[in-house]
Amino acid sequence: MPPRIAHPANRKPIAPTHAHHPAPLSLDGRHWIAGDARIDDREQLIARLRGRGIPLPHQPTSLQLVLGAAMAWPQDFPERLLGDFAVAVWDARAGELSLVRDAFGTRPLYYAQTHDRLLFATDPGALLADPGVDAAMDLAAAG
């Protein structure tokens, strides 16, 4: 079963190759993804993922490619991607949630934990719009 993830109503696709998906998205019913992505080496990545047996649609979106990479290389998929992304990947069987962004941090990834939820977004305003989120920043966690 997918985790319950909600996106702000005003979320827009970021590139022509990135179709808007209802969140969360799955390719296999075990792995789920929500977030934002733009993948540059699409054709090469598609070939590598299909070669590993990852079930991709005919014209996968960037978000589907990131999920396929997470399925193929769960321990180091971010290092295998060329592009920018900020995503949450849920492995239902393992019960693990990973919040991941590209190595250069092109897309920011903010998160907040309330008493009963973990929220994430690429815009801090989306988190602050939730009444359960305290606007004070944890400076120790910000590094």
Side-chain angles (χ1 to χ4, degrees):
M1 172 183 264
R4 293 176 52 183
I5 299 174
H7 280 286
N10 63 352
R11 181 174 180 270
K12 303 277 191 284
I14 59 166
T17 58
H18 178 89
H20 181 67
H21 290 288
L25 166 74
S26 181
L27 295 173
D28 66 355
R30 171 184 171 179
H31 301 90
W32 298 83
I33 193 168
D36 212 359
R38 182 189 49 79
I39 298 300
D40 296 327
D41 63 338
R42 299 177 59 77
E43 297 307 316
Q44 299 89 337
L45 183 57
I46 290 168
R48 290 191 341 246
L49 292 173
R50 288 195 172 131
R52 294 184 63 90
I54 301 299
L56 295 172
H58 178 66
Q59 293 184 315
T61 65
S62 288
L63 201 56
Q64 290 168 325
L65 292 174
V66 174
L67 180 57
M71 293 164 59
W73 307 288
Q75 299 303 316
D76 65 347
F77 76 92
E79 290 83 25
R80 296 174 180 257
L81 298 172
L82 180 60
D84 49 283
F85 51 91
V87 299
V89 178
W90 172 251
D91 182 332
R93 186 177 304 153
E96 294 178 351
L97 176 69
S98 300
L99 296 178
V100 183
R101 68 180 190 170
D102 60 275
F104 293 108
T106 306
R107 294 197 190 280
L109 182 59
Y110 302 95
Y111 69 94
Q113 187 170 357
T114 67
H115 70 281
D116 64 344
R117 296 178 295 153
L118 176 67
L119 306 161
F120 65 94
T122 57
D123 174 16
L127 295 179
L128 296 174
D130 187 287
V133 174
D134 182 353
M137 178 186 271
D138 181 348
L139 296 177

